Each structure stands twice: as structure tokens, then as C-alpha cells.
Amino acid sequence: MNNSKKKERQERILDAALKLFTERGYFNTTVNDIQFASKMSVGSLYNYFENKESIAVTLYSNLENCLYEALCEIEQQNVSMHDCCHEAVRHIFENTERTPSAMQYLLYTKHREFMPVEKTAFASLPFLKMKTWVEQGQAMGEIRAMDSNVAMNAIFGSAIRMVFLRIDGILEDPLTDYLEECWQCSWRGVSTDE
Amino acid sequence: MNNSKKKERQERILDAALKLFTERGYFNTTVNDIQFASKMSVGSLYNYFENKESIAVTLYSNLENCLYEALCEIEQQNVSMHDCCHEAVRHIFENTERTPSAMQYLLYTKHREFMPVEKTAFASLPFLKMKTWVEQGQAMGEIRAMDSNVAMNAIFGSAIRMVFLRIDGILEDPLTDYLEECWQCSWRGVSTDE
DNA sequence: GTCTATATGACGATAGAC
DNA sequence: GTCTATCGTCATATAGAC
């Protein structure tokens, strides 16, 4: 079959699933809902994906890769670990505004409950990348010496909680409005500068 | 019927449900599982609770009240907002070690998916109480002037992420080992002291 | 490859005996 | 109040026509 058409139909399923999973949750979304939202029959859907779980897994894997690549690019364009981390937070904030469902699914959702295979979010590639930054920053003396998990959370924890607040509809203004204020608190907490 | 026996059986159901909900998630737990784990029949279970959701709601409400009361006590025994917040984090860390399921259900779970009525966690009594502390701390000049949601997350965000890390099994040592290091980062970020 | 119609099984909840 | 047995519903997944 036409390969690009195949791709297009898969995308349509994934888009519909992402929307539904984030709006109502995985368990409150039926295969029929996805089928209906993607304007496709159940039969077709099962032609493209083995089952409902496999849709969720593909979705997660795609979004995870996407974030990982963004982090790699940030890494290439910045030298100090301060800048890398800062740009990572900016990227996450901007993308939460641009594609809220994607960020919600990636950061907010409890995947383990419906993807038994999947490792915890803290063992995902993007998180590991960010952790190496923190450890490098500590080795280079930019970031105070302390347990690297603590440092990691001190730098990114409050930012991620901001994403949660935004997703839950508590923050009315776009996340990017809070970026600098939020970042300065985080960095002040771990920086070796007085 | 003997009122204390009634209470005792309800507790047994709630305990079993909490254990299962946190281990497998709400949707992966069947009423039969709860019935079996609480060594009770389905009939009895439905005698004590209207339905499965009502078990989840009662559980959440109990734990929320419990945390709220602990915060009220902390508030009474400390004067500075620094000390209140610090003790709150200590309480959360200690209780995550003491009763991990309770803290997991309270802080980590996405309640909205199975309790449509429930407000978001950020609108719960404990969170609102902590927010008033932060705002008071800002009014009194202890905490830097900034958006109160940002300040809130700067103070508690990384601590809550630490709880997540611990629940996910990433941290091997008890949370209390990380308390001071974690707190110092948070407080340095928002404090008005140089 | 795509569709409709249907099989299969599980879950929440109830009925009714004791 | 407590139990066992069962009902009704609905979701996932498949079968089979086109």
C-alpha cells in the first residue's frame, strides 16, 4: 500500500488517542472512542495496531524520542550546564503551551498503570540526559555538591510542578510568563555563586 | 449493630482498597480483589459502601483530612513561615516512609480519572493551607516577592518530586536522609536572606 | 485493506437465601 | 448483616464479507 497514506492513517489514530487519553484518561477511553474520533473502523484500527495498549506505547515512545532529540539539540547549542538546564525548562514550558496534550501525556500521566512493560518516567532517556547535565555541572563546579537526585529535583522539580499546575487549570497565564521567576528560584538554590 | 465492629470492617475494606489501588491502580483493581483482600463477601462490601468509586472517595477524604490536621498542628507549634514549611516537608517525608501507600494515594495518584467529582489536588485543603503560609511569608518579608504559585512550587515542588522518586523506587535510602539537603536548596531559592 | 457484525469474557452490581 | 449465585452491561478483539 501507499506508504505515506499508511503513515497518515497511523498518525490520525495516534492523534485521536492522545487527545482522548489526556482528556479522559486511558481507562475511560474505549477503542470505539478512538475509532470514532479518528473516523475509522474498528477493523482498520486493529490493522494498524495490535491492541489499545500498543497505541499507548507507540504514543509514549514517539513523544519521548521527540523530547530527547530536543534535549540533544539544546546540549549542542549550549556550553554551560546552567544554560542547558535553563533552555530545557524553556523548551518544556513552551511546548506545554504549544502542544499541551503531548506534554501532559509525557510528564503528567501515570504510564505504569496501563503500560506494564514501560519503565518509570525517571528512567526514561530525557530524564537520564538531564541528570547527566546536573552531574556534569557538579563536576565542573557550577552546581553545588550534593546528592545528584536532590540537585536534579531542585533544578527541575518546581518547573515540572508548574507544568502540572498549568495542566490542572490553576494558572491562567501561559507558563512562559513564569519562566524567569521560576528558573531564578531553582538556580539560586543550587548555584555555587553567592 | 455493634458500632465499633462496623467501624472495624469499614477500615478493613479501606485498608485493602488503599493497598490495591496504590499497587495496581484503581482501574486494575476489581471489586472482587477488594472483597478478597479484605476477607469479606461482595454483599457485605456493598452493604458498607455504595460502590467502588465511593470507596475511593472515602479513602481520599480521610487521608486528606489527616494531612490537613497535621498541617494545622504544625501551624500552631511554629511561628515563622520558614519553620512551618520546613516542618511540613519533614512531615511529608516521614509519612512517606511510615505509610507509603497513604502518601502515594494522596500525592501521586491522578484522582480525577476515577473520581470525577473531586477537585484537583491543588485545590485541596492541605495545599491551600500551605499556600497561605507562603503568602504570609511573603507579606512578612521572609520570602521574596514573586507570584505565589511560583513561590509555592519553589518551596514544595522539589520535595514532592522527591516523594515521587521514592515511590518509583529510584531512591534507595529513606527520604528523611535527604530532608535537609533538599530543604536548603528550596529555601535558598526563595529566602530574602543573602 | 477496510468495513460491519458478532463472539468472548470480565466487571460492577443485585437478588434472594440464611 | 452476611453470604453465594447470578444478571446485565459493555469493552476488547475477531470473523468474514467486500
Side-chain angles (χ1 to χ4, degrees):
Chain A
M1 170 204 240
N2 185 337
N3 214 314
S4 81
K5 181 173 178 199
K6 189 177 166 185
K7 197 89 190 166
E8 188 271 334
R9 298 202 82 175
Q10 280 184 334
E11 283 298 328
R12 228 164 72 204
I13 295 168
L14 291 173
D15 285 350
L18 175 61
K19 185 160 183 292
L20 291 164
F21 288 166
T22 49
E23 272 173 7
R24 333 178 168 174
Y26 177 83
F27 292 102
N28 294 320
T29 302
T30 73
V31 174
N32 271 321
D33 292 336
I34 302 175
Q35 165 255 316
F36 185 80
S38 60
K39 296 184 182 75
M40 218 171 285
S41 70
V42 205
S44 278
L45 205 151
Y46 276 95
N47 181 45
Y48 286 106
F49 293 94
E50 198 186 337
N51 50 31
K52 182 180 162 188
E53 186 182 321
S54 131
I55 298 177
V57 171
T58 307
L59 207 45
Y60 185 65
S61 163
N62 287 358
L63 295 173
E64 188 184 341
N65 283 339
C66 189
L67 177 56
Y68 183 68
E69 280 165 22
L71 294 183
C72 289
E73 186 157 338
I74 286 172
E75 189 171 50
Q76 284 179 346
Q77 295 182 347
N78 294 276
V79 284
S80 75
M81 293 306 117
H82 166 279
D83 291 355
C84 281
C85 295
H86 188 185
E87 286 310 303
V89 174
R90 182 197 309 283
H91 179 268
I92 288 169
F93 277 21
E94 283 176 354
N95 274 57
T96 301
E97 296 300 327
R98 200 178 300 136
T99 56
S101 304
M103 281 295 136
Q104 175 172 348
Y105 191 69
L106 205 48
L107 300 178
Y108 187 82
T109 306
K110 293 280 159 280
H111 318 94
R112 313 287 301 274
E113 283 191 14
F114 52 91
M115 302 172 8
V117 202
E118 206 63 33
K119 49 198 170 329
T120 161
F122 297 107
S124 68
L125 279 182
F127 268 87
L128 293 178
K129 169 67 75 189
M130 286 155 90
K131 196 167 175 191
T132 64
W133 290 352
V134 173
E135 285 164 352
Q136 234 174 295
Q138 292 184 301
M140 304 193 327
E142 264 185 87
I143 297 172
R144 287 173 187 253
M146 68 180 90
D147 181 275
S148 65
N149 284 311
V150 174
M152 175 87 175
N153 279 341
I155 295 176
F156 297 109
S158 64
I160 290 174
R161 296 298 293 179
M162 290 296 287
V163 173
F164 285 22
L165 271 183
R166 179 64 170 154
I167 288 169
D168 272 348
I170 309 288
L171 301 178
E172 296 134 25
D173 301 316
L175 270 182
T176 40
D177 288 4
Y178 304 97
L179 176 61
E180 290 311 321
E181 208 164 48
C182 177
W183 172 256
Q184 274 159 32
C185 285
S186 299
W187 188 252
R188 232 186 341 256
V190 300
S191 164
T192 47
D193 304 342
E194 290 317 279
Chain B
M1 169 203 236
N2 186 336
N3 215 314
S4 82
K5 182 174 178 197
K6 187 177 166 185
K7 197 89 189 168
E8 188 271 336
R9 298 203 85 177
Q10 281 184 332
E11 283 299 326
R12 228 164 72 204
I13 296 169
L14 291 174
D15 286 349
L18 175 61
K19 186 160 181 293
L20 292 164
F21 288 166
T22 49
E23 271 173 7
R24 334 178 167 174
Y26 177 84
F27 291 102
N28 294 321
T29 302
T30 71
V31 174
N32 270 322
D33 292 335
I34 302 175
Q35 165 254 316
F36 185 80
S38 60
K39 296 183 182 74
M40 217 172 286
S41 69
V42 206
S44 278
L45 207 151
Y46 276 95
N47 181 45
Y48 288 105
F49 293 94
E50 199 186 337
N51 52 30
K52 183 180 164 189
E53 186 182 322
S54 130
I55 299 177
V57 171
T58 307
L59 208 44
Y60 184 65
S61 162
N62 286 357
L63 294 173
E64 188 184 341
N65 283 339
C66 189
L67 177 57
Y68 183 68
E69 281 165 22
L71 294 184
C72 289
E73 187 157 338
I74 286 172
E75 188 171 50
Q76 284 179 347
Q77 294 181 349
N78 294 276
V79 285
S80 75
M81 292 307 117
H82 167 279
D83 291 355
C84 281
C85 294
H86 189 186
E87 287 310 304
V89 174
R90 182 196 309 283
H91 179 268
I92 289 169
F93 277 20
E94 284 177 353
N95 274 57
T96 301
E97 295 301 327
R98 200 178 300 138
T99 55
S101 304
M103 280 296 136
Q104 176 172 348
Y105 190 70
L106 206 47
L107 299 178
Y108 188 81
T109 306
K110 292 281 159 280
H111 318 93
R112 312 290 299 276
E113 282 191 15
F114 52 92
M115 301 172 7
V117 202
E118 207 62 32
K119 49 200 170 331
T120 163
F122 297 107
S124 68
L125 279 183
F127 267 87
L128 293 179
K129 168 67 75 186
M130 286 155 89
K131 196 166 176 193
T132 64
W133 291 351
V134 172
E135 285 165 353
Q136 234 175 296
Q138 291 184 302
M140 304 192 327
E142 263 186 88
I143 298 172
R144 286 173 188 253
M146 68 180 90
D147 179 276
S148 65
N149 284 310
V150 174
M152 175 85 176
N153 278 341
I155 295 177
F156 298 110
S158 65
I160 290 174
R161 297 297 292 179
M162 290 296 287
V163 173
F164 284 21
L165 271 182
R166 179 64 169 155
I167 288 170
D168 272 348
I170 309 287
L171 301 178
E172 296 135 25
D173 300 316
L175 270 183
T176 39
D177 289 4
Y178 303 97
L179 176 61
E180 290 312 320
E181 208 164 48
C182 178
W183 172 256
Q184 274 160 32
C185 284
S186 299
W187 187 252
R188 231 185 343 255
V190 300
S191 163
T192 47
D193 303 344
E194 289 319 279

